[in-house]
Amino acid sequence: MAVRKLGSIRFRARSAGALLLPALWLMTAGSAAALDNGLAKTPPMGWNSWNKFHCNVSEKLIRETADAMVATGMRDAGYVYLVIDDCWQVDRDAQGNIVPDPKRFPSGMKALADYVHSKGLKFGIYSDAGRMTCQKRPGSRGYEFQDARQYAAWGVDYLKYDWCHHGKQNSEASYALMRDALAKAGRPIVFSICEWGSTKPWLWAGDVGNLWRTTGDIQDCWDCKRKWGGLGWTQILDQQVGLEVYAGPGHWNDPDMLEVGNGGMTTEEYRAHFTMWCILAAPLMAGNDLRNMTDEIREILTNPEVIAVDQDPLGKQGVKVRDDGDLEVWAKQMADGSRAVALLNRSTKKQEIAVQWTEIGYPAHLKAAVRDLWKKQDLGTATGRFSAEVPGHAVVLVRIRP
Ligand code: GAL
Protein backbone atom coordinates (compact mmCIF):
# COMPACT_ATOMS: atom_id res chain seq x y z
CA MET A 1 0.00 0.00 0.00
CA ALA A 2 1.32 3.42 -1.00
CA VAL A 3 0.87 4.84 2.48
CA ARG A 4 3.03 2.22 4.16
CA LYS A 5 5.69 2.48 1.49
CA LEU A 6 5.89 6.21 1.94
CA GLY A 7 5.81 5.80 5.69
CA SER A 8 8.84 3.56 5.64
CA ILE A 9 11.04 6.11 3.91
CA ARG A 10 13.77 7.08 6.34
CA PHE A 11 14.43 10.75 6.76
CA ARG A 12 17.65 12.31 7.91
CA ALA A 13 16.80 14.61 10.71
CA ARG A 14 18.91 17.75 10.74
CA SER A 15 22.01 16.47 9.02
CA ALA A 16 24.20 19.22 7.62
CA GLY A 17 23.89 20.11 3.95
CA ALA A 18 21.08 17.69 3.23
CA LEU A 19 18.75 18.48 0.36
CA LEU A 20 15.67 16.57 1.38
CA LEU A 21 13.68 14.53 -1.12
CA PRO A 22 12.29 17.60 -2.88
CA ALA A 23 9.33 15.95 -4.54
CA LEU A 24 7.97 14.12 -1.53
CA TRP A 25 5.90 16.99 -0.27
CA LEU A 26 4.04 17.13 -3.56
CA MET A 27 2.63 13.64 -3.07
CA THR A 28 -0.94 13.03 -2.07
CA ALA A 29 -1.88 12.83 1.57
CA GLY A 30 -1.77 9.32 2.92
CA SER A 31 -4.41 7.85 5.20
CA ALA A 32 -6.51 5.36 3.28
CA ALA A 33 -9.75 5.97 5.16
CA ALA A 34 -10.46 9.20 6.99
CA LEU A 35 -12.82 9.55 9.93
CA ASP A 36 -16.16 10.39 8.37
CA ASN A 37 -17.73 12.72 10.94
CA GLY A 38 -17.64 15.72 8.63
CA LEU A 39 -15.48 17.74 11.05
CA ALA A 40 -12.07 19.40 11.02
CA LYS A 41 -11.84 19.76 7.25
CA THR A 42 -9.14 22.28 8.08
CA PRO A 43 -6.99 21.97 11.24
CA PRO A 44 -9.09 22.79 14.32
CA MET A 45 -8.46 26.17 15.95
CA GLY A 46 -9.27 27.19 19.48
CA TRP A 47 -7.96 27.52 23.01
CA ASN A 48 -7.10 24.93 25.66
CA SER A 49 -6.55 25.52 29.38
CA TRP A 50 -3.64 23.14 30.02
CA ASN A 51 -0.46 24.95 28.94
CA LYS A 52 -1.11 28.00 31.09
CA PHE A 53 -3.53 26.94 33.82
CA HIS A 54 -2.96 23.21 34.37
CA CYS A 55 -5.46 22.08 37.03
CA ASN A 56 -6.50 25.60 37.89
CA VAL A 57 -9.68 25.56 35.78
CA SER A 58 -13.11 26.94 36.71
CA GLU A 59 -16.28 28.21 35.09
CA LYS A 60 -15.08 31.73 35.86
CA LEU A 61 -11.90 31.19 33.83
CA ILE A 62 -13.82 29.61 30.96
CA ARG A 63 -16.43 32.37 30.83
CA GLU A 64 -13.77 35.08 30.97
CA THR A 65 -11.78 33.30 28.28
CA ALA A 66 -14.88 33.05 26.09
CA ASP A 67 -15.39 36.81 26.50
CA ALA A 68 -11.71 37.41 25.71
CA MET A 69 -11.86 35.25 22.60
CA VAL A 70 -14.49 37.59 21.25
CA ALA A 71 -12.96 40.86 22.52
CA THR A 72 -9.44 40.15 21.24
CA GLY A 73 -10.58 39.10 17.77
CA MET A 74 -9.40 35.53 18.33
CA ARG A 75 -12.83 34.09 17.53
CA ASP A 76 -13.10 36.10 14.35
CA ALA A 77 -9.60 34.98 13.36
CA GLY A 78 -10.87 31.38 13.49
CA TYR A 79 -10.24 30.20 17.06
CA VAL A 80 -13.63 28.71 17.90
CA TYR A 81 -13.09 25.64 20.11
CA LEU A 82 -12.79 26.51 23.80
CA VAL A 83 -11.51 23.35 25.50
CA ILE A 84 -11.26 22.61 29.23
CA ASP A 85 -8.39 20.19 29.79
CA ASP A 86 -7.80 17.93 32.80
CA CYS A 87 -9.24 18.49 36.31
CA TRP A 88 -12.82 19.61 35.63
CA GLN A 89 -14.10 16.22 36.87
CA VAL A 90 -13.95 14.84 40.41
CA ASP A 91 -16.03 11.69 40.73
CA ARG A 92 -18.77 9.41 39.43
CA ASP A 93 -22.21 9.29 41.04
CA ALA A 94 -24.09 6.13 42.05
CA GLN A 95 -25.30 5.69 38.45
CA GLY A 96 -21.79 6.06 37.09
CA ASN A 97 -22.35 9.56 35.68
CA ILE A 98 -19.26 11.73 35.59
CA VAL A 99 -19.39 14.54 38.18
CA PRO A 100 -17.83 17.96 37.47
CA ASP A 101 -16.07 19.71 40.36
CA PRO A 102 -19.00 21.41 42.15
CA LYS A 103 -16.78 24.10 43.67
CA ARG A 104 -15.11 25.13 40.44
CA PHE A 105 -18.10 24.57 38.15
CA PRO A 106 -21.09 25.39 40.41
CA SER A 107 -23.44 26.12 37.49
CA GLY A 108 -22.70 22.81 35.79
CA MET A 109 -21.41 21.97 32.34
CA LYS A 110 -24.63 22.49 30.41
CA ALA A 111 -24.89 26.11 31.57
CA LEU A 112 -21.23 26.67 30.74
CA ALA A 113 -21.59 25.14 27.28
CA ASP A 114 -24.64 27.34 26.68
CA TYR A 115 -22.63 30.41 27.63
CA VAL A 116 -19.75 29.43 25.33
CA HIS A 117 -22.21 28.79 22.49
CA SER A 118 -23.90 32.13 23.08
CA LYS A 119 -20.57 33.77 22.20
CA GLY A 120 -20.44 32.04 18.83
CA LEU A 121 -17.85 29.56 20.11
CA LYS A 122 -17.76 25.79 20.47
CA PHE A 123 -17.27 23.88 23.72
CA GLY A 124 -14.64 21.22 24.36
CA ILE A 125 -13.83 18.89 27.19
CA TYR A 126 -11.16 16.35 28.20
CA SER A 127 -11.15 12.74 29.33
CA ASP A 128 -8.87 9.71 29.26
CA ALA A 129 -9.09 6.26 27.69
CA GLY A 130 -7.77 4.66 30.88
CA ARG A 131 -9.16 4.33 34.41
CA MET A 132 -7.92 7.76 35.44
CA THR A 133 -6.79 10.95 33.76
CA CYS A 134 -3.17 12.06 34.08
CA GLN A 135 -4.14 14.13 37.12
CA LYS A 136 -5.90 11.10 38.63
CA ARG A 137 -9.46 12.20 37.94
CA PRO A 138 -11.95 9.52 36.76
CA GLY A 139 -11.18 8.29 33.22
CA SER A 140 -13.69 6.94 30.72
CA ARG A 141 -12.59 3.28 30.71
CA GLY A 142 -15.80 1.21 30.96
CA TYR A 143 -17.97 4.33 30.72
CA GLU A 144 -17.32 5.29 27.10
CA PHE A 145 -20.94 5.25 25.87
CA GLN A 146 -22.33 6.79 29.05
CA ASP A 147 -19.77 9.60 28.96
CA ALA A 148 -20.30 10.28 25.26
CA ARG A 149 -24.07 10.54 25.83
CA GLN A 150 -23.45 12.92 28.72
CA TYR A 151 -21.10 15.11 26.65
CA ALA A 152 -23.67 15.30 23.86
CA ALA A 153 -26.39 16.25 26.35
CA TRP A 154 -24.22 19.03 27.72
CA GLY A 155 -23.52 20.36 24.23
CA VAL A 156 -19.87 19.32 23.90
CA ASP A 157 -18.35 19.86 20.44
CA TYR A 158 -14.77 18.62 20.99
CA LEU A 159 -13.24 15.83 23.06
CA LYS A 160 -9.54 15.55 23.88
CA TYR A 161 -8.92 11.97 24.97
CA ASP A 162 -5.73 11.19 26.89
CA TRP A 163 -3.79 7.98 27.52
CA CYS A 164 -2.74 7.90 31.19
CA HIS A 165 -3.45 4.89 33.42
CA HIS A 166 -4.31 2.65 30.47
CA GLY A 167 -2.68 -0.48 31.91
CA LYS A 168 -2.60 -3.12 29.19
CA GLN A 169 -5.26 -1.55 26.97
CA ASN A 170 -4.73 -1.56 23.22
CA SER A 171 -4.57 2.02 21.98
CA GLU A 172 -6.31 1.57 18.62
CA ALA A 173 -9.17 -0.42 20.17
CA SER A 174 -9.54 2.02 23.07
CA TYR A 175 -9.74 5.06 20.82
CA ALA A 176 -11.99 3.31 18.27
CA LEU A 177 -14.39 2.51 21.12
CA MET A 178 -14.74 6.18 22.05
CA ARG A 179 -15.02 7.13 18.37
CA ASP A 180 -17.99 4.75 18.10
CA ALA A 181 -19.49 6.04 21.36
CA LEU A 182 -19.28 9.63 20.10
CA ALA A 183 -20.86 8.64 16.78
CA LYS A 184 -23.76 7.00 18.67
CA ALA A 185 -24.23 10.01 20.94
CA GLY A 186 -25.74 11.86 18.02
CA ARG A 187 -23.82 15.14 18.17
CA PRO A 188 -20.88 16.12 15.95
CA ILE A 189 -17.84 16.06 18.25
CA VAL A 190 -14.27 16.60 17.07
CA PHE A 191 -12.21 13.70 18.41
CA SER A 192 -8.68 14.62 19.53
CA ILE A 193 -6.42 11.65 20.26
CA CYS A 194 -3.70 12.32 22.84
CA GLU A 195 -1.46 9.28 23.23
CA TRP A 196 1.74 11.28 22.65
CA GLY A 197 2.72 9.35 19.51
CA SER A 198 3.57 6.36 21.70
CA THR A 199 1.90 3.77 19.44
CA LYS A 200 2.40 5.67 16.15
CA PRO A 201 -1.22 6.83 15.79
CA TRP A 202 -0.52 8.21 12.31
CA LEU A 203 -0.50 4.55 11.19
CA TRP A 204 -3.96 3.71 12.59
CA ALA A 205 -5.83 6.86 13.61
CA GLY A 206 -6.82 8.28 10.20
CA ASP A 207 -10.28 6.75 10.53
CA VAL A 208 -10.39 6.96 14.33
CA GLY A 209 -9.74 10.59 15.25
CA ASN A 210 -9.71 14.05 13.68
CA LEU A 211 -6.26 14.74 15.12
CA TRP A 212 -3.64 12.84 17.03
CA ARG A 213 -0.72 14.03 19.13
CA THR A 214 2.62 12.98 17.67
CA THR A 215 4.91 13.64 20.66
CA GLY A 216 5.17 14.24 24.39
CA ASP A 217 4.06 17.54 25.90
CA ILE A 218 5.25 20.85 24.47
CA GLN A 219 7.21 23.15 26.81
CA ASP A 220 7.42 26.94 26.70
CA CYS A 221 10.99 27.01 25.38
CA TRP A 222 12.96 26.94 22.11
CA ASP A 223 14.69 23.56 22.41
CA CYS A 224 14.63 22.29 25.99
CA LYS A 225 14.06 18.63 26.78
CA ARG A 226 12.62 17.48 30.12
CA LYS A 227 13.51 14.14 31.72
CA TRP A 228 9.84 13.16 31.91
CA GLY A 229 9.40 13.68 28.16
CA GLY A 230 8.45 17.36 27.76
CA LEU A 231 9.93 19.02 24.67
CA GLY A 232 10.70 22.49 23.38
CA TRP A 233 8.97 23.31 20.11
CA THR A 234 12.00 22.80 17.83
CA GLN A 235 12.46 19.32 19.31
CA ILE A 236 8.85 18.62 18.41
CA LEU A 237 9.34 20.09 14.93
CA ASP A 238 12.14 17.59 14.24
CA GLN A 239 9.77 14.73 15.01
CA GLN A 240 7.22 15.84 12.39
CA VAL A 241 9.51 15.04 9.46
CA GLY A 242 8.07 12.11 7.53
CA LEU A 243 4.58 12.34 9.06
CA GLU A 244 3.26 14.67 6.34
CA VAL A 245 1.82 11.84 4.26
CA TYR A 246 -0.64 10.91 7.01
CA ALA A 247 -2.35 14.29 7.38
CA GLY A 248 -5.23 15.70 5.36
CA PRO A 249 -8.72 17.17 5.67
CA GLY A 250 -10.48 15.59 8.66
CA HIS A 251 -7.36 13.90 10.08
CA TRP A 252 -4.31 15.85 11.23
CA ASN A 253 -0.99 15.30 12.93
CA ASP A 254 -1.02 17.29 16.18
CA PRO A 255 2.39 18.56 17.35
CA ASP A 256 0.65 19.82 20.53
CA MET A 257 -0.90 23.10 21.60
CA LEU A 258 0.68 26.52 21.22
CA GLU A 259 2.91 28.10 23.85
CA VAL A 260 2.78 31.52 22.15
CA GLY A 261 2.45 34.22 24.80
CA ASN A 262 3.27 32.14 27.87
CA GLY A 263 6.39 34.10 28.73
CA GLY A 264 9.30 31.68 28.21
CA MET A 265 10.37 32.88 24.74
CA THR A 266 11.03 36.10 22.87
CA THR A 267 8.49 37.57 20.47
CA GLU A 268 10.62 36.44 17.51
CA GLU A 269 10.81 32.91 18.93
CA TYR A 270 7.05 32.80 19.38
CA ARG A 271 6.61 34.06 15.82
CA ALA A 272 8.85 31.22 14.61
CA HIS A 273 6.92 28.64 16.67
CA PHE A 274 3.59 29.88 15.32
CA THR A 275 4.89 30.01 11.74
CA MET A 276 6.12 26.45 11.83
CA TRP A 277 2.83 25.18 13.27
CA CYS A 278 1.06 26.85 10.33
CA ILE A 279 3.50 25.29 7.85
CA LEU A 280 2.75 21.92 9.47
CA ALA A 281 -1.03 22.40 9.03
CA ALA A 282 -1.13 21.83 12.77
CA PRO A 283 -4.22 22.30 14.90
CA LEU A 284 -3.89 25.82 16.35
CA MET A 285 -4.92 25.63 20.00
CA ALA A 286 -3.78 28.76 21.78
CA GLY A 287 -2.56 28.06 25.31
CA ASN A 288 -1.97 31.51 26.79
CA ASP A 289 -4.03 33.75 29.06
CA LEU A 290 -6.23 35.56 26.55
CA ARG A 291 -7.45 37.99 29.21
CA ASN A 292 -3.97 39.52 29.50
CA MET A 293 -2.37 39.36 26.10
CA THR A 294 0.07 41.93 24.70
CA ASP A 295 -0.62 43.47 21.29
CA GLU A 296 2.48 41.75 19.92
CA ILE A 297 1.22 38.31 20.93
CA ARG A 298 -2.30 39.04 19.67
CA GLU A 299 -0.84 40.10 16.34
CA ILE A 300 1.07 36.84 16.05
CA LEU A 301 -1.93 34.69 16.89
CA THR A 302 -4.38 36.55 14.66
CA ASN A 303 -2.31 37.35 11.53
CA PRO A 304 -4.80 36.42 8.80
CA GLU A 305 -2.30 35.67 6.04
CA VAL A 306 -0.31 33.34 8.28
CA ILE A 307 -3.43 31.60 9.56
CA ALA A 308 -4.47 31.16 5.90
CA VAL A 309 -1.33 29.05 5.42
CA ASP A 310 -2.48 26.71 8.18
CA GLN A 311 -6.12 26.70 7.09
CA ASP A 312 -5.53 26.23 3.37
CA PRO A 313 -8.31 23.96 2.05
CA LEU A 314 -5.94 21.63 0.22
CA GLY A 315 -4.89 20.42 3.67
CA LYS A 316 -1.27 19.60 2.83
CA GLN A 317 1.16 19.44 5.71
CA GLY A 318 4.34 21.30 4.83
CA VAL A 319 7.68 19.53 4.56
CA LYS A 320 11.32 20.26 5.22
CA VAL A 321 12.96 20.65 1.80
CA ARG A 322 16.43 21.71 2.93
CA ASP A 323 18.38 21.14 6.13
CA ASP A 324 21.75 22.86 6.46
CA GLY A 325 22.19 22.23 10.15
CA ASP A 326 20.86 25.32 11.87
CA LEU A 327 19.35 26.70 8.67
CA GLU A 328 16.21 25.05 7.36
CA VAL A 329 13.74 25.59 4.54
CA TRP A 330 10.19 24.31 4.86
CA ALA A 331 7.50 24.52 2.18
CA LYS A 332 3.75 23.97 2.05
CA GLN A 333 1.80 23.47 -1.13
CA MET A 334 -1.30 25.66 -1.25
CA ALA A 335 -4.62 25.11 -3.01
CA ASP A 336 -3.96 27.91 -5.53
CA GLY A 337 -0.65 26.39 -6.61
CA SER A 338 1.42 28.84 -4.59
CA ARG A 339 3.88 27.78 -1.89
CA ALA A 340 4.24 29.04 1.65
CA VAL A 341 7.96 28.92 2.41
CA ALA A 342 9.53 29.31 5.85
CA LEU A 343 13.22 30.14 6.18
CA LEU A 344 14.07 29.06 9.72
CA ASN A 345 17.26 30.13 11.47
CA ARG A 346 17.91 27.94 14.51
CA SER A 347 21.28 29.50 15.23
CA THR A 348 21.66 32.55 17.46
CA LYS A 349 23.18 34.86 14.82
CA LYS A 350 21.75 36.48 11.71
CA GLN A 351 22.29 34.42 8.53
CA GLU A 352 21.16 34.35 4.92
CA ILE A 353 18.87 31.49 3.92
CA ALA A 354 17.91 30.71 0.31
CA VAL A 355 15.23 28.58 -1.30
CA GLN A 356 15.64 27.27 -4.84
CA TRP A 357 12.50 26.89 -6.96
CA THR A 358 13.54 23.34 -7.80
CA GLU A 359 13.29 22.51 -4.09
CA ILE A 360 9.63 23.52 -4.02
CA GLY A 361 8.46 21.81 -7.18
CA TYR A 362 8.86 24.75 -9.58
CA PRO A 363 11.11 24.94 -12.68
CA ALA A 364 14.14 27.20 -12.28
CA HIS A 365 13.05 29.58 -15.07
CA LEU A 366 9.70 30.38 -13.43
CA LYS A 367 9.01 33.97 -12.46
CA ALA A 368 7.03 34.29 -9.23
CA ALA A 369 5.74 37.02 -6.96
CA VAL A 370 7.05 36.93 -3.39
CA ARG A 371 5.16 38.32 -0.40
CA ASP A 372 6.45 38.54 3.17
CA LEU A 373 3.52 37.40 5.33
CA TRP A 374 4.77 38.87 8.63
CA LYS A 375 5.85 42.21 7.19
CA LYS A 376 2.67 42.17 5.05
CA GLN A 377 4.78 43.41 2.13
CA ASP A 378 5.08 42.44 -1.52
CA LEU A 379 8.76 41.93 -2.27
CA GLY A 380 8.47 41.95 -6.08
CA THR A 381 9.19 39.02 -8.36
CA ALA A 382 11.99 36.47 -8.31
CA THR A 383 13.19 33.83 -10.75
CA GLY A 384 14.74 30.53 -9.69
CA ARG A 385 15.40 31.38 -6.07
CA PHE A 386 14.65 33.69 -3.18
CA SER A 387 16.85 34.49 -0.21
CA ALA A 388 16.56 36.59 2.93
CA GLU A 389 18.59 37.59 5.96
CA VAL A 390 17.04 35.85 8.94
CA PRO A 391 17.87 36.96 12.49
CA GLY A 392 18.92 34.34 15.06
CA HIS A 393 16.12 32.18 16.49
CA ALA A 394 13.71 33.60 13.96
CA VAL A 395 11.89 32.88 10.73
CA VAL A 396 11.00 34.61 7.47
CA LEU A 397 7.71 33.44 5.99
CA VAL A 398 6.92 34.17 2.34
CA ARG A 399 4.22 33.16 -0.06
CA ILE A 400 5.52 32.45 -3.55
CA ARG A 401 2.99 32.77 -6.37
CA PRO A 402 3.93 31.98 -9.99
C1 GAL B 1 -1.02 15.01 29.26
C2 GAL B 1 -1.35 15.70 27.95
C3 GAL B 1 -1.40 17.18 28.21
C4 GAL B 1 -2.47 17.46 29.25
C5 GAL B 1 -2.18 16.67 30.51
C6 GAL B 1 -3.30 16.79 31.53
O1 GAL B 1 -1.01 13.64 29.05
O2 GAL B 1 -0.38 15.39 26.99
O3 GAL B 1 -1.67 17.89 27.01
O4 GAL B 1 -3.71 17.13 28.73
O5 GAL B 1 -2.02 15.30 30.21
O6 GAL B 1 -3.08 16.05 32.67
Side-chain angles (χ1 to χ4, degrees), residues 100-271:
D101 185 332
K103 287 199 205 77
R104 289 173 174 270
F105 296 91
S107 315
M109 292 316 215
K110 174 80 172 74
L112 188 53
D114 288 348
Y115 185 79
V116 169
H117 290 148
S118 78
K119 298 284 159 181
L121 298 164
K122 293 180 184 293
F123 184 61
I125 217 166
Y126 161 103
S127 189
D128 189 289
R131 284 181 307 107
M132 288 189 291
T133 71
C134 297
Q135 305 305 314
K136 301 209 167 75
R137 306 305 173 92
S140 289
R141 176 68 173 156
Y143 297 90
E144 291 85 358
F145 285 79
Q146 188 171 358
D147 282 356
R149 270 199 307 275
Q150 178 67 86
Y151 302 154
W154 283 340
V156 167
D157 307 295
Y158 185 112
L159 174 68
K160 173 174 168 181
Y161 205 47
D162 216 335
W163 190 228
C164 279
H165 304 284
H166 60 263
K168 294 197 164 81
Q169 284 173 234
N170 172 281
S171 57
E172 182 171 355
S174 301
Y175 282 95
L177 189 61
M178 187 47 106
R179 170 201 59 195
D180 295 344
L182 292 174
K184 271 215 127 176
R187 185 179 170 88
I189 298 179
V190 171
F191 189 31
S192 159
I193 295 174
C194 177
E195 58 73 90
W196 324 299
S198 55
T199 62
K200 297 193 167 64
W202 46 88
L203 295 178
W204 52 261
D207 62 353
V208 179
N210 295 113
L211 57 156
W212 51 83
R213 282 272 299 279
T214 55
T215 68
D217 288 8
I218 192 166
Q219 302 296 292
D220 184 15
C221 59
W222 179 266
D223 61 1
C224 65
K225 215 170 183 174
R226 312 274 185 234
K227 277 205 188 91
W228 53 268
L231 298 165
W233 76 265
T234 59
Q235 303 270 359
I236 289 181
L237 180 69
D238 290 338
Q239 293 188 39
Q240 308 314 303
V241 176
L243 301 187
E244 53 271 357
V245 292
Y246 301 105
H251 54 284
W252 308 99
N253 290 306
D254 175 8
D256 206 357
M257 304 168 299
L258 296 163
E259 290 285 6
V260 176
N262 277 335
M265 288 185 262
T266 66
T267 302
E268 281 304 312
E269 290 176 333
Y270 281 135
R271 189 172 291 132

Side-chain angles (χ1 to χ4, degrees), residues 248-249 252 311-316 332-336:
W252 308 99
Q311 295 290 301
D312 184 72
L314 191 61
K316 286 272 197 182
K332 183 178 194 288
Q333 185 183 359
M334 305 287 281
D336 65 356

